[in-house]
Amino acid sequence: MCLKNNLVLAILAVVALFGCKEEQSASQQNLLNVGVEVLEPQDVPLTFEFAARAQGSKETEVRARVGGILLKRNYIEGSEVKEGQVLFEIDPEPYQVALNQAKANLEQTQAELKNAKIQLDRTEKLYKQKYASEKSYDDAVAKYDSLKAGLSSAQAAVDAAQLNLDYTKVKAPISGLTSMEAQSEGSLISTSGESGLLTHITQINPIYVMFSLSENEMLTLSRMVSSGQLKNPQDKNAVKAVLRLGNNDVYQYPGEINFVNPSIDTSTGTIKLRAVFPNPNNRLRPGQFMRLTVEGLERANALIVPQTAVMQSSKGSYVYRLNDKNEVEIANIKTGQTVNKEYWTVNEGLEQGDRVVVNNLLKVRPGMVVNPMVIDNPTDNNK
């Protein structure tokens, strides 16, 4: 009888145990499967994007330096010209006449000086022999010195006349692209006012690209550098500027930042920066708008979360995080920079080892117990 009772108890125990396992298995099957990423500090590449506008690396006005009738234009409007190329010709005849007259005056002064030298030598000889008075000798010296000074003045007049004649050929002060002519052939040109402006030249190879940083952005970057969050690149050439044009094409040549304005623009509250790009095919033109991205910087020991996992509420950004019991809880966070256009860096709200829910977000609710499935961080795989 005792043996029979023991057998019955054993059977009931097995049935109960089997029932518990089935109940536990069924409970696990009812849990929602969610993907989670486990946060670990890592060095991540940062990119900073700005609105930008192209500007010529050199821009100059071409003006007449002598007046007269504009006889000829020697270039095609909008074409590229070289430094020193003759662009315009102003009537040279009045200046040629002035040069000839200056040269004649110079020759006359040279002849008079030669004669004055002969007279001085003769008077000096007679003066030493006491056949000439001291006044006669002094007069000869004064005349010679006066004509000697006059010779320098006459030579300067010739040089000035030659310079004015040369100015009748208006040359390009720099290489670049020309604008429309401001004065047409036959116009009377002066050396002042708008009538002296002939055209503009803009150098676009290399070309400048201007962009601005807000005061807050500059302070944020300075704080990141001072705190060690922003790594100082070992290779200065690693930091480069990349352009994305209006049609979303990436410009083929990288550039470099070569100037940061030392002061803040009080009207806009921004700091101007300048990048320089090669432009051998003249693809970029002054005034062109584009997007400029600064690449090559890294943030050290950063925690990152997928942008798709970050949600918004009246209190700001938040993510779903799992506690030790696999319960869902809300973690309010402050995000920083973008990483590979898919991730945010996290400045506040999360710590190393936190498990962040990255999918099934519409089905997840705070307090819910879920079945976590760890997903590798793609940025780790790329390292």
Side-chain angles (χ1 to χ4, degrees), residues 3-17:
L3 181 60
K4 182 177 181 181
N5 289 337
N6 290 338
L7 183 59
V8 171
L9 290 174
I11 293 173
L12 291 176
V14 172
V15 171
L17 179 61

Side-chain angles (χ1 to χ4, degrees), residues 176-339:
L177 293 180
T178 56
S179 67
M180 294 176 60
E181 66 175 5
Q183 305 288 342
S184 60
E185 289 92 337
S187 300
L188 177 61
I189 304 301
S190 69
T191 57
S192 61
E194 290 302 315
S195 64
L197 177 63
L198 301 179
T199 189
H200 292 84
I201 298 178
T202 303
Q203 187 176 95
I204 63 174
N205 183 30
I207 194 167
Y208 289 156
V209 175
M210 310 299 296
F211 62 103
S212 298
L213 219 64
S214 70
E215 184 177 358
N216 288 337
E217 289 173 327
M218 181 62 75
L219 291 174
T220 298
L221 287 175
S222 298
R223 186 169 58 250
M224 291 176 65
V225 172
S226 60
S227 65
Q229 291 181 341
L230 197 62
K231 293 182 64 176
N232 188 18
Q234 299 298 321
D235 183 6
K236 299 300 182 182
N237 295 325
V239 179
K240 60 183 179 180
V242 177
L243 289 180
R244 189 173 294 275
L245 307 182
N247 60 359
N248 214 33
D249 285 350
V250 176
Y251 185 60
Q252 64 190 104
Y253 299 106
E256 62 178 12
I257 299 173
N258 68 342
F259 177 75
V260 178
N261 200 20
S263 60
I264 296 176
D265 188 333
T266 55
S267 61
T268 61
T270 59
I271 299 174
K272 288 185 178 180
L273 296 92
R274 184 181 70 197
V276 58
F277 290 82
N279 190 30
N281 300 321
N282 297 340
R283 187 179 182 188
L284 303 180
R285 294 299 179 106
Q288 188 174 350
F289 286 93
M290 57 204 73
R291 304 293 297 180
L292 183 144
T293 302
V294 179
E295 300 179 352
L297 298 174
E298 282 191 344
R299 178 166 174 177
N301 299 320
L303 298 178
I304 63 172
V305 293
Q307 293 182 0
T308 54
V310 179
M311 294 164 285
Q312 301 294 324
S313 69
S314 58
K315 296 182 180 180
S317 302
Y318 70 94
V319 295
Y320 286 134
R321 175 177 57 190
L322 300 187
N323 61 20
D324 295 339
K325 299 178 181 179
N326 292 334
E327 293 176 345
V328 178
E329 59 184 22
I330 291 178
N332 294 311
I333 65 172
K334 288 186 178 180
T335 58
Q337 295 77 31
T338 60
V339 179

Side-chain angles (χ1 to χ4, degrees), residues 151-167:
L151 181 65
S152 298
S153 177
Q155 182 62 58
V158 171
D159 294 341
Q162 182 65 59
L163 195 60
N164 287 334
L165 179 62
D166 293 341
Y167 283 157

